[in-house]
């Protein structure tokens, strides 16, 4: 394992972070005249807590992760970008990931001018750690894995993930955006054992709150401290912090929704087997299913005409003639099944 100070970009290691009014005074007072805020229009006149302490305390309880091991971002997309900016020197350092997977790792790498290497998964969309690790060189700073993976929906083989965690000396990011739909547990219980692992989760999927933009990164406190140092001072607005606290106050309704979505997923999977244009249904641990059809472009166009929008993944690696379909309500899913049944083969 490399020392964190040798992984972080020198400019970030030496950076003196911005110190906001709310950083400099954190106690209670009756008169606040320190942040050039308008004294009227409460509570929106005040800057929000830059470190979102109340929200992190609740997430800490729910996820059983210490508060200083939690970073909150404007979606997990913010954490992806900040990790790249913290660890990868443009042009010189590189990032490694799997193919196919979530597109933002590559886009963020490109935005930051950091070379991005990807290793094709096998035909079952599974990871071969040896093949992945062969692509590592002395400038590889981050490996992005996604499990359950997008667009395939499967969990990557855990033994192979452990091989990557055990052998790679840089940062291993495991994107768990879909973990709440998965039969396998989160890697958060392994944070102590792997101090260079970063786990990404989000309120955008199982918690039904994509609109409020709240992503979570769980990692060793020294990694979280680096992300906090380079983030925008008030990256999570007050409305999002309040709404997230409200959503997380009682997770029972969310658990019920997850159960409903999983049951619908089972129904969809078994019914789709009988549909003529469906050639293959890939195993999924997420809230979507990847299917292979006889002609993805024609099926996509046909579904659009029926008023149903799915994701055409035809041009994605290993996804020739594949559509990615999110699990909807029973009514929406029935509409999809009826339409697919009408699709001429
Ligand atoms: N990771 C994966 C694997 C995703 O599929 C998505 C969204 N499609 C994200 C992260 C982004 O999540 P957020 O809304 O938290 O930015």
């Amino acid at each position: 394992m490399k020392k964190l100070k040798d992984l972080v970009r020198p400019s970030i290691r030496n950076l003196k972070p911005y110190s906001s009014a709310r950083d400099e005074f954190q106690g209670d007072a009756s008169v606040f005249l320190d942040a050039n805020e308008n004294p009227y229009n409460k509570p929106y006149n005040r800057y929000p807590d830059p470190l979102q302490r109340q929200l992190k305390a609740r997430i800490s309880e729910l996820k059983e992760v210490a508060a200083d091991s939690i970073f909150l971002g404007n979606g997990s997309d913010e954490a992806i970008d900040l990790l790249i900016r913290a660890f990868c020197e443009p042009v010189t350092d590189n990032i490694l990931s799997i193919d196919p997977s979530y597109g933002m790792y590559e886009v963020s790498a490109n935005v930051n001018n950091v070379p991005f290497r990807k290793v094709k998964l096998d035909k079952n969309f599974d990871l071969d750690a040896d093949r992945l690790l062969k692509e590592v060189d002395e400038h590889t700073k981050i490996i992005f894995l996604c499990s359950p993976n997008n667009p395939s929906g499967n969990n990557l083989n855990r033994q192979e993930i452990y091989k990557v965690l055990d052998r790679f000396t840089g940062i291993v990011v495991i994107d768990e955006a879909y973990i709440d739909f998965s039969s396998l547990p989160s890697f958060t219980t392994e944070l102590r054992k792997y101090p260079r692992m970063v786990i990404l989760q989000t309120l955008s999927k199982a918690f039904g709150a994509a609109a409020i933009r709240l992503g979570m990164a769980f990692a060793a406190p020294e990694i979280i401290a680096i992300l906090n140092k380079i983030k925008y001072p008030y990256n999570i607005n007050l409305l999002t912090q309040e709404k997230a606290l409200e959503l997380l106050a009682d997770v029972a309704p969310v658990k019920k929704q997850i159960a409903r979505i999983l049951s619908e997923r089972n129904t969809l999977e078994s019914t789709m087997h009988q549909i003529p244009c469906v050639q293959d249904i890939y195993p999924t641990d997420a809230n979507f299913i990847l299917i292979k059809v006889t002609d993805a472009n024609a099926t996509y166009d046909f579904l659009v005409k029926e008023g149903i929008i799915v994701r055409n993944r035809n041009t994605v690696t290993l996804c020739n003639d594949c559509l990615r379909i999110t699990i909807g309500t029973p009514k929406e899913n029935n509409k999809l099944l009826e339409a697919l049944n009408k699709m001429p083969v």
Side-chain angles (χ1 to χ4, degrees):
M1 195 172 75
K2 284 193 180 128
K3 286 202 176 111
L4 204 64
K5 74 168 180 46
D6 297 328
L7 282 171
V8 179
R9 290 168 69 192
S11 57
I12 301 297
R13 190 171 61 219
N14 301 327
L15 178 83
K16 188 173 178 293
Y18 176 72
S19 180
S20 71
R22 286 294 161 273
D23 286 319
E24 284 177 17
F25 182 85
Q26 292 171 16
D28 255 340
S30 55
V31 182
F32 277 100
L33 302 175
D34 59 346
N36 297 348
E37 297 151 333
N38 186 323
Y40 308 112
N41 196 32
K42 282 183 179 151
Y44 303 108
N45 58 334
R46 299 293 178 199
Y47 284 101
D49 177 2
L51 288 172
Q52 312 98 20
R53 290 170 185 83
Q54 206 187 343
L55 182 52
K56 280 183 186 161
R58 179 62 187 136
I59 293 172
S60 166
E61 257 174 15
L62 279 175
K63 302 282 178 183
E64 297 179 5
V65 172
D68 62 357
S69 277
I70 304 173
F71 166 83
L72 300 181
N74 187 333
S76 13
D77 287 342
E78 183 184 358
I80 293 168
D81 181 61
L82 288 184
L83 284 162
I84 295 175
R85 285 203 271 150
F87 293 104
C88 301
E89 200 58 45
V91 184
T92 316
D93 290 331
N94 66 69
I95 291 169
L96 186 55
S97 191
I98 52 176
D99 189 26
S101 196
Y102 181 46
M104 278 305 284
Y105 316 136
E106 185 165 5
V107 171
S108 278
N110 288 341
V111 167
N112 289 294
N113 206 12
V114 174
F116 186 83
R117 301 172 176 180
K118 47 193 171 180
V119 172
K120 204 164 140 181
L121 294 170
D122 71 17
K123 64 180 187 341
N124 299 316
F125 296 103
D126 218 337
L127 169 69
D128 178 336
D130 291 326
R131 264 203 311 122
L132 183 79
L133 291 167
K134 262 196 206 130
E135 297 303 317
V136 169
D137 66 20
E138 60 184 310
H139 294 294
T140 308
K141 290 288 188 68
I142 307 179
I143 293 180
F144 279 97
L145 300 176
C146 182
S147 185
N149 193 23
N150 178 6
S152 47
N154 60 310
N155 269 304
L156 301 177
N157 181 313
R158 293 252 149 152
Q159 288 320 109
E160 299 301 298
I161 295 181
Y162 281 116
K163 268 192 215 167
V164 176
L165 286 167
D166 286 327
R167 294 193 205 156
F168 181 56
T169 56
I171 305 288
V172 179
V173 179
I174 304 182
D175 187 340
E176 293 189 336
Y178 300 97
I179 195 68
D180 302 290
F181 302 105
S182 167
S183 52
L184 295 178
S186 165
F187 273 89
T188 47
T189 52
E190 306 271 35
L191 278 169
R192 267 179 216 285
K193 187 165 171 206
Y194 296 107
R196 297 292 172 267
M197 173 174 69
V198 179
I199 296 158
L200 302 181
Q201 293 187 11
T202 177
L203 294 196
S204 298
K205 309 294 173 185
F207 284 85
I212 74 169
R213 312 304 302 132
L214 194 87
M216 300 165 271
F218 305 110
E222 53 178 348
I223 293 181
I224 299 299
I226 293 164
L227 298 180
N228 284 335
K229 189 163 126 166
I230 64 174
K231 77 181 182 70
Y232 287 159
Y234 306 105
N235 63 327
I236 308 294
N237 71 68
L238 179 67
L239 298 171
T240 294
Q241 294 191 45
E242 285 180 346
K243 191 68 194 173
L245 273 167
E246 186 189 315
L247 268 171
L248 298 175
D250 177 14
V251 292
V254 170
K255 286 195 173 151
K256 249 192 225 161
Q257 280 177 4
I258 294 171
R260 222 176 288 154
I261 290 167
L262 292 183
S263 142
E264 271 301 299
R265 188 180 76 191
N266 286 341
T267 312
L268 264 186
E269 277 176 316
S270 51
T271 317
M272 275 186 183
H273 275 296
Q274 298 147 26
I275 295 178
C277 72
V278 177
Q279 304 293 298
D280 217 342
I281 301 168
Y282 295 98
T284 177
D285 251 305
N287 67 333
F288 57 86
I289 312 180
L290 189 74
I291 62 169
K292 192 184 269 294
V293 292
T294 39
D295 182 340
N297 291 336
T299 310
Y300 177 83
D301 292 342
F302 180 78
L303 289 174
V304 170
K305 284 201 190 101
E306 297 282 318
I308 300 166
I309 313 302
V310 298
R311 200 81 195 265
N312 187 354
R313 300 283 75 185
N314 186 41
T315 56
V316 171
T317 305
L318 295 172
C319 296
N320 188 28
D321 275 326
C322 286
L323 300 175
R324 194 195 69 191
I325 300 174
T326 310
I327 312 299
T329 62
K331 203 169 149 196
E332 290 169 337
N333 301 333
N334 282 336
K335 211 174 152 207
L336 168 84
L337 291 170
E338 272 170 30
L340 277 179
N341 255 318
K342 283 194 280 178
M343 172 71 200
V345 183

